[in-house]
Amino acid sequence: MKKPRVFSFTGKGGSGKTTLASLMLAALLRRGTFRDILVIDADPDANLSATLGIPVEATVGQAVDRRRNELKESAGRGRKLRFSLWDTIRHDRSFDFLVMGRTAGEGCYCAVHSALTESLLDTMAMYDLVLMDFGAGLEHFSRRAGNPSDTLLISCDPSRLSFDTARRIDELVRELSLPYERIFLVGSRFPREAEDLFYQLAREAGIESLGVIPADGDVAARNLAGDDLLSLDPVNPALRAAEGLLERLVASGPAS
Amino acid sequence: MSGNVLRAACAAFLSGRGYAARTDFIVPGTDIRVDVAAVLPRMRDLKMRLKRGFVPTGILHPLIGAGWVTVTEIVRRTGYPAGHVAAVLEEAAGERWIDLDFQEPEPRCRIRDYRPPAKECLLAFDGTERLAEKLERLEALAGCYSRAQFVFPYDLDEKTTETLAGLGAGIVRYHREHGVFQELVPAESLEIDDPGRFALIVEYVLYEHIWIRTGEVL
């Protein structure tokens, strides 16, 4: 079976996972290996759209709310969840973008969520590559959201707390036997002089390190201004570093 | 176990993995029967068809990857009456699938930015009956599928295993009592050399499949 490759991004809040996901996407688009790419913002506090420069028009959470209300009020009439999910996918020139968002109502959503999970897995199968940006924290792992996934990238900024979170994520993934084939630690915003420390802390955490995205003034300025990261200068050091990480990921990945 | 059961189980297995599957599929324009044809759709192209309608590939497939083609040639290649071909072409031009050029001495047309709506076409065969004949069918379809596999509800002998593996076909052992399809020999991934017929298969299978999806309650 031709499974899509799935790269998921996680880490402590503010550790740079959304920036990392955006830089990896920029590197992927430059590389051109994958034809159909779906980017999923699975963070309830969705902000990947800003770093990709795509306004959010609709979310899956809104579609779920709408469908649940339709089912309550009109005996099933209305747009089916699968097609609403497809409508929510925004088509950019070179990739597709889906924002999960969150539901607003109260009460039981089990049936709708169950249908959503199935539709989402079918939808992911239609792509060559799926990038998934998770929210901070560990709860989505417990809910087993976003599986299956071949590669989990844990972003760590230069703080001890960030490595503690990475260690807890790694432990939780193993405890729950989540089907990640590979887990990597990525250093985000590390000054050059602290890179050795990153590799040392990664070893202590017992997680394989993929590499480091250096601290970069242009990336920081764009994040501050709310500008996108897909139009970075091709020689930008952070983008070049992301290209290097991608090279390693794709070269060492499971056969698709 | 009957071939019917094996084919249905195989189609259900593939459907559960995101494929749109069809049992006993007769490749349009031929009398070649495939036990299970399964296609893995591409989102953008599928959505485009839901908005604009499916591409009438029964008529348009000679245009795929071919540039300008005369209407006479389309009539010859498809075997449909000229009046029907003309009507379909006119409609396809209205839906922006093709460009029509009424040049002298005869009109011609070309397909616009066509991309098949699937990234893979997998052909699966029940290997328990008329295996040699099915291998011939597969050979006749060369270039228009991505992978092929033969399914057996029992262990295969070495000679048959070598024959199938030598052809690049996958071998799947179906464990009926456990409902498991065990991939013993992975199918070789093949290049599509006949994009017209590939498109024909995937458009037909998806067209039939998508309307089932619209019947979902949730």
Side-chain angles (χ1 to χ4, degrees), chain A residues 1-2 35-36 67 71 80-83 86-87 89 91-96 111 115 122-123 125-128, chain B residues 13-14 17-19 40-44 46-47 50 115 119-120 122 147 149 183 210 213-218:
Chain A
M1 302 305 139
K2 197 170 190 173
R35 189 168 155 188
D36 288 271
R67 187 64 188 140
L71 286 166
K80 307 293 165 48
L81 191 62
R82 180 184 304 275
F83 296 100
W86 291 1
D87 284 345
I89 295 174
H91 303 289
D92 186 72
R93 200 159 45 86
S94 43
F95 63 94
D96 290 357
D122 282 355
T123 300
M126 295 188 205
Y127 290 86
D128 300 320
Chain B
F13 170 75
L14 291 166
R17 273 152 183 76
Y19 285 82
L40 200 49
R42 288 187 186 277
M43 174 58 72
R44 277 187 191 216
L46 187 56
K47 274 176 73 173
L50 287 169
R115 201 172 84 137
K119 60 180 187 176
E120 191 185 9
L122 172 72
R147 295 172 201 233
Q149 56 186 209
E183 200 170 28
I210 200 67
R213 290 295 192 191
T214 59
E216 290 170 343
V217 173
L218 282 177

Side-chain angles (χ1 to χ4, degrees), chain A residues 12-242:
Chain A
K12 186 179 161 298
S15 65
K17 50 187 178 301
T18 299
T19 298
L20 175 63
S22 306
L23 289 171
M24 291 294 265
L25 176 64
L28 275 159
L29 297 177
R30 283 175 53 76
R31 185 185 164 102
T33 308
F34 297 94
R35 189 168 155 188
D36 288 271
I37 300 174
L38 174 65
V39 180
I40 301 178
D41 189 347
D43 187 345
D45 179 25
N47 49 24
L48 185 59
S49 62
T51 59
L52 300 183
I54 302 175
V56 178
E57 290 168 352
T59 71
V60 176
Q62 292 165 346
V64 166
D65 278 334
R66 200 167 44 242
R67 187 64 188 140
R68 182 172 172 269
N69 292 335
E70 281 170 358
L71 286 166
K72 267 180 14 190
E73 291 160 11
S74 58
R77 285 193 297 277
R79 193 142 179 83
K80 307 293 165 48
L81 191 62
R82 180 184 304 275
F83 296 100
S84 294
L85 171 68
W86 291 1
D87 284 345
T88 305
I89 295 174
R90 166 97 185 234
H91 303 289
D92 186 72
R93 200 159 45 86
S94 43
F95 63 94
D96 290 357
F97 184 50
L98 178 67
V99 178
M100 296 302 289
R102 56 190 166 80
T103 50
E106 293 176 347
C108 178
Y109 275 80
C110 294
V112 186
H113 275 304
S114 170
L116 174 67
T117 303
E118 192 201 320
S119 297
L120 193 57
L121 289 174
D122 282 355
T123 300
M124 285 165 65
M126 295 188 205
Y127 290 86
D128 300 320
L129 174 71
V130 178
L131 295 186
M132 192 176 281
D133 183 22
F134 282 129
L138 311 177
E139 197 241 343
H140 55 88
F141 290 109
S142 309
R143 283 190 284 109
R144 295 171 172 268
N147 298 319
S149 175
D150 64 55
T151 304
L152 181 65
L153 299 166
I154 307 174
S155 177
C156 270
D157 64 354
S159 75
R160 174 68 72 166
L161 294 177
S162 200
F163 285 87
D164 291 342
T165 301
R167 200 178 294 110
R168 281 194 286 272
I169 289 171
D170 186 51
E171 283 167 6
L172 189 60
V173 165
R174 287 174 208 291
E175 268 173 35
L176 296 174
S177 300
L178 296 180
Y180 293 104
E181 294 178 31
R182 306 175 303 168
I183 300 176
F184 292 111
L185 213 55
V186 178
S188 290
R189 300 194 301 263
F190 271 74
R192 289 279 179 214
E193 60 276 16
E195 284 188 10
D196 287 344
L197 184 60
F198 164 75
Y199 289 108
Q200 183 194 320
L201 289 170
R203 272 195 301 278
E204 285 173 19
I207 307 171
E208 188 177 348
S209 53
L210 188 68
V212 171
I213 302 283
D216 181 84
D218 193 13
V219 170
R222 282 167 183 257
N223 278 339
L224 198 58
D227 292 338
D228 76 274
L229 297 179
L230 296 184
S231 55
L232 279 170
D233 193 316
V235 297
N236 176 278
L239 179 57
R240 298 294 296 271

